[in-house]
Amino acid sequence: MSDTVRVANSISISIPSATWTTLTFDTERWDTDGIHDNTTNPERLTCQTAGYYLIIVQILWDANATGRRMATLYVGSTG
């Protein structure tokens, strides 16, 4: 059996222009191995079991004609 987690944020997050912002997750749909904690470091997913993991990220941006949108995922670091 594989260890899996699915997390989300239940509300929209307002991010200021030209500002790196750490996203937090306040909703767990499931977590089979204690990978996420809503209270301690809700922005992190910490794999508890050695192995290979597939990470899928979905971000929905509001329409905007100016600027650019970027996301960074840190692995093995707090960035």
Side-chain angles (χ1 to χ4, degrees):
M1 182 171 148
S2 60
D3 300 316
T4 63
V5 63
R6 183 170 182 182
V7 295
N9 199 304
S10 63
I11 59 171
S12 295
I13 300 173
S14 179
I15 300 175
S17 179
T19 303
W20 286 104
T21 303
T22 300
L23 302 179
T24 59
F25 310 108
D26 66 357
T27 304
E28 292 179 3
R29 298 207 179 149
W30 67 80
D31 186 355
T32 65
D33 197 32
I35 296 170
H36 179 257
D37 187 318
N38 280 332
T39 305
T40 305
N41 299 316
E43 73 281 3
R44 293 183 188 175
L45 301 177
T46 304
C47 298
Q48 304 296 325
T49 304
Y52 293 98
Y53 287 82
L54 172 65
I55 300 169
I56 300 172
V57 178
Q58 179 180 10
I59 300 174
L60 303 174
W61 305 102
D62 284 340
N64 192 323
T66 61
R68 63 183 178 174
R69 284 87 186 130
M70 297 172 33
T72 301
L73 175 68
Y74 292 99
V75 178
S77 173
T78 58

mmCIF file of all heavy atoms in Angstrom, residues 6-9 23 25 29 55-61 71 73:
data_model
loop_
_atom_site.group_PDB
_atom_site.id
_atom_site.type_symbol
_atom_site.label_atom_id
_atom_site.label_comp_id
_atom_site.label_asym_id
_atom_site.label_seq_id
_atom_site.Cartn_x
_atom_site.Cartn_y
_atom_site.Cartn_z
ATOM 1 N N ARG A 6 -3.551 14.192 0.506
ATOM 2 C CA ARG A 6 -4.130 15.204 -0.370
ATOM 3 C C ARG A 6 -4.531 16.378 0.506
ATOM 4 O O ARG A 6 -5.358 16.232 1.410
ATOM 5 C CB ARG A 6 -5.337 14.694 -1.145
ATOM 6 C CG ARG A 6 -5.856 15.756 -2.106
ATOM 7 C CD ARG A 6 -6.885 15.224 -3.054
ATOM 8 N NE ARG A 6 -7.290 16.289 -3.955
ATOM 9 C CZ ARG A 6 -8.207 16.149 -4.874
ATOM 10 N NH1 ARG A 6 -8.807 14.982 -5.028
ATOM 11 N NH2 ARG A 6 -8.530 17.155 -5.651
ATOM 12 N N VAL A 7 -3.901 17.514 0.243
ATOM 13 C CA VAL A 7 -4.163 18.715 1.033
ATOM 14 C C VAL A 7 -4.630 19.833 0.116
ATOM 15 O O VAL A 7 -4.403 19.804 -1.090
ATOM 16 C CB VAL A 7 -2.910 19.167 1.817
ATOM 17 C CG1 VAL A 7 -2.528 18.140 2.862
ATOM 18 C CG2 VAL A 7 -1.749 19.454 0.891
ATOM 19 N N ALA A 8 -5.278 20.816 0.720
ATOM 20 C CA ALA A 8 -5.779 21.965 -0.044
ATOM 21 C C ALA A 8 -5.920 23.146 0.905
ATOM 22 O O ALA A 8 -5.728 23.021 2.114
ATOM 23 C CB ALA A 8 -7.136 21.634 -0.670
ATOM 24 N N ASN A 9 -6.273 24.269 0.339
ATOM 25 C CA ASN A 9 -6.611 25.437 1.140
ATOM 26 C C ASN A 9 -8.070 25.727 0.881
ATOM 27 O O ASN A 9 -8.497 25.800 -0.276
ATOM 28 C CB ASN A 9 -5.736 26.631 0.793
ATOM 29 C CG ASN A 9 -5.760 27.658 1.893
ATOM 30 O OD1 ASN A 9 -6.814 28.130 2.269
ATOM 31 N ND2 ASN A 9 -4.604 27.973 2.426
ATOM 32 N N LEU A 23 2.602 29.271 0.773
ATOM 33 C CA LEU A 23 1.213 28.833 0.843
ATOM 34 C C LEU A 23 1.060 27.777 1.933
ATOM 35 O O LEU A 23 1.894 26.890 2.080
ATOM 36 C CB LEU A 23 0.774 28.251 -0.499
ATOM 37 C CG LEU A 23 0.890 29.192 -1.702
ATOM 38 C CD1 LEU A 23 0.440 28.470 -2.965
ATOM 39 C CD2 LEU A 23 0.096 30.451 -1.484
ATOM 40 N N PHE A 25 -1.644 24.918 3.885
ATOM 41 C CA PHE A 25 -2.779 24.036 3.604
ATOM 42 C C PHE A 25 -3.578 23.876 4.885
ATOM 43 O O PHE A 25 -3.035 23.496 5.915
ATOM 44 C CB PHE A 25 -2.297 22.671 3.116
ATOM 45 C CG PHE A 25 -1.282 22.755 2.009
ATOM 46 C CD1 PHE A 25 0.047 22.456 2.244
ATOM 47 C CD2 PHE A 25 -1.651 23.171 0.738
ATOM 48 C CE1 PHE A 25 0.987 22.537 1.227
ATOM 49 C CE2 PHE A 25 -0.717 23.265 -0.278
ATOM 50 C CZ PHE A 25 0.605 22.943 -0.034
ATOM 51 N N ARG A 29 -7.765 16.148 2.831
ATOM 52 C CA ARG A 29 -8.824 15.252 2.344
ATOM 53 C C ARG A 29 -8.535 13.832 2.818
ATOM 54 O O ARG A 29 -9.433 13.090 3.137
ATOM 55 C CB ARG A 29 -8.924 15.344 0.830
ATOM 56 C CG ARG A 29 -9.293 16.767 0.416
ATOM 57 C CD ARG A 29 -10.015 16.833 -0.865
ATOM 58 N NE ARG A 29 -10.340 18.230 -1.134
ATOM 59 C CZ ARG A 29 -10.432 18.720 -2.338
ATOM 60 N NH1 ARG A 29 -10.239 17.966 -3.383
ATOM 61 N NH2 ARG A 29 -10.742 19.981 -2.507
ATOM 62 N N ILE A 55 4.651 14.013 -6.781
ATOM 63 C CA ILE A 55 4.078 15.249 -6.242
ATOM 64 C C ILE A 55 3.390 15.984 -7.378
ATOM 65 O O ILE A 55 4.000 16.268 -8.415
ATOM 66 C CB ILE A 55 5.177 16.135 -5.622
ATOM 67 C CG1 ILE A 55 5.860 15.379 -4.486
ATOM 68 C CG2 ILE A 55 4.589 17.452 -5.145
ATOM 69 C CD1 ILE A 55 7.119 16.042 -3.988
ATOM 70 N N ILE A 56 2.120 16.285 -7.184
ATOM 71 C CA ILE A 56 1.342 17.025 -8.174
ATOM 72 C C ILE A 56 0.831 18.287 -7.504
ATOM 73 O O ILE A 56 0.268 18.229 -6.419
ATOM 74 C CB ILE A 56 0.168 16.187 -8.709
ATOM 75 C CG1 ILE A 56 0.703 14.909 -9.372
ATOM 76 C CG2 ILE A 56 -0.689 17.010 -9.669
ATOM 77 C CD1 ILE A 56 -0.369 13.920 -9.753
ATOM 78 N N VAL A 57 1.060 19.426 -8.139
ATOM 79 C CA VAL A 57 0.641 20.716 -7.594
ATOM 80 C C VAL A 57 -0.318 21.370 -8.579
ATOM 81 O O VAL A 57 -0.053 21.405 -9.778
ATOM 82 C CB VAL A 57 1.858 21.646 -7.372
ATOM 83 C CG1 VAL A 57 1.425 22.997 -6.851
ATOM 84 C CG2 VAL A 57 2.860 20.992 -6.430
ATOM 85 N N GLN A 58 -1.423 21.884 -8.065
ATOM 86 C CA GLN A 58 -2.371 22.610 -8.905
ATOM 87 C C GLN A 58 -2.609 23.973 -8.275
ATOM 88 O O GLN A 58 -2.990 24.068 -7.110
ATOM 89 C CB GLN A 58 -3.693 21.865 -9.028
ATOM 90 C CG GLN A 58 -4.701 22.602 -9.877
ATOM 91 C CD GLN A 58 -6.009 21.840 -9.981
ATOM 92 O OE1 GLN A 58 -6.253 20.867 -9.295
ATOM 93 N NE2 GLN A 58 -6.871 22.300 -10.852
ATOM 94 N N ILE A 59 -2.348 25.026 -9.040
ATOM 95 C CA ILE A 59 -2.566 26.390 -8.565
ATOM 96 C C ILE A 59 -3.484 27.084 -9.561
ATOM 97 O O ILE A 59 -3.236 27.049 -10.771
ATOM 98 C CB ILE A 59 -1.237 27.165 -8.457
ATOM 99 C CG1 ILE A 59 -0.294 26.463 -7.467
ATOM 100 C CG2 ILE A 59 -1.489 28.604 -8.034
ATOM 101 C CD1 ILE A 59 1.080 27.060 -7.411
ATOM 102 N N LEU A 60 -4.534 27.690 -9.068
ATOM 103 C CA LEU A 60 -5.455 28.434 -9.918
ATOM 104 C C LEU A 60 -5.201 29.923 -9.715
ATOM 105 O O LEU A 60 -5.298 30.423 -8.591
ATOM 106 C CB LEU A 60 -6.900 28.086 -9.574
ATOM 107 C CG LEU A 60 -7.256 26.608 -9.680
ATOM 108 C CD1 LEU A 60 -8.670 26.361 -9.169
ATOM 109 C CD2 LEU A 60 -7.123 26.145 -11.103
ATOM 110 N N TRP A 61 -4.871 30.620 -10.784
ATOM 111 C CA TRP A 61 -4.593 32.053 -10.712
ATOM 112 C C TRP A 61 -5.788 32.832 -11.238
ATOM 113 O O TRP A 61 -6.434 32.414 -12.197
ATOM 114 C CB TRP A 61 -3.383 32.410 -11.576
ATOM 115 C CG TRP A 61 -2.132 31.645 -11.290
ATOM 116 C CD1 TRP A 61 -1.639 30.597 -12.013
ATOM 117 C CD2 TRP A 61 -1.207 31.856 -10.223
ATOM 118 N NE1 TRP A 61 -0.468 30.151 -11.472
ATOM 119 C CE2 TRP A 61 -0.172 30.909 -10.359
ATOM 120 C CE3 TRP A 61 -1.145 32.762 -9.156
ATOM 121 C CZ2 TRP A 61 0.909 30.842 -9.486
ATOM 122 C CZ3 TRP A 61 -0.065 32.688 -8.292
ATOM 123 C CH2 TRP A 61 0.945 31.743 -8.459
ATOM 124 N N ALA A 71 5.711 29.659 -9.320
ATOM 125 C CA ALA A 71 5.629 28.825 -8.123
ATOM 126 C C ALA A 71 6.945 28.053 -7.996
ATOM 127 O O ALA A 71 7.555 27.686 -8.998
ATOM 128 C CB ALA A 71 4.459 27.860 -8.227
ATOM 129 N N LEU A 73 8.750 24.809 -5.692
ATOM 130 C CA LEU A 73 8.575 23.707 -4.763
ATOM 131 C C LEU A 73 9.961 23.338 -4.234
ATOM 132 O O LEU A 73 10.874 23.079 -5.007
ATOM 133 C CB LEU A 73 7.956 22.500 -5.485
ATOM 134 C CG LEU A 73 7.814 21.221 -4.699
ATOM 135 C CD1 LEU A 73 6.774 21.384 -3.608
ATOM 136 C CD2 LEU A 73 7.451 20.088 -5.629
#
